[in-house]
Amino acid sequence: VSLSEILDHLDDTLSELHKEAFAEPTIRLGEACAFGHVCGSVLLTTKQGMIGLLGPIRMDYQHALSLMHSAKKLV
């Protein structure tokens, strides 16, 4: 999966993700990641919408979770 493929299908992927609720920051890796098996994501649903981080499967998830918890407090 390339970045251009992810971007080509971004609207469809986000539409599918909006059907789910992520009350707490949720990590999705590999096959469980809606963006592709070589990606990782951290997702959070708020009253205003969805916040997410997308990166390589080997990204720093501890840091990503920390950022998402901070975002949750700010929103």
Side-chain angles (χ1 to χ4, degrees), residues 1 5 7 9-11 13 16 35 45 48 50 57 59-60 62 64-65 68-69 71-72 74:
V1 177
E5 289 175 303
L7 294 175
H9 301 286
L10 189 59
D11 288 338
T13 304
E16 287 298 313
F35 297 97
T45 304
Q48 291 80 12
M50 182 178 286
I57 202 162
M59 74 172 154
D60 183 347
Q62 191 64 32
L65 283 173
M68 295 301 276
H69 282 291
K72 183 178 179 180
L74 291 172

Side-chain angles (χ1 to χ4, degrees), residues 44-74:
L44 173 66
T45 304
T46 68
K47 293 177 186 175
Q48 291 80 12
M50 182 178 286
I51 301 170
L53 295 171
L54 174 64
I57 202 162
R58 295 184 338 232
M59 74 172 154
D60 183 347
Y61 290 97
Q62 191 64 32
H63 183 68
L65 283 173
S66 176
L67 290 171
M68 295 301 276
H69 282 291
S70 294
K72 183 178 179 180
K73 289 177 187 175
L74 291 172

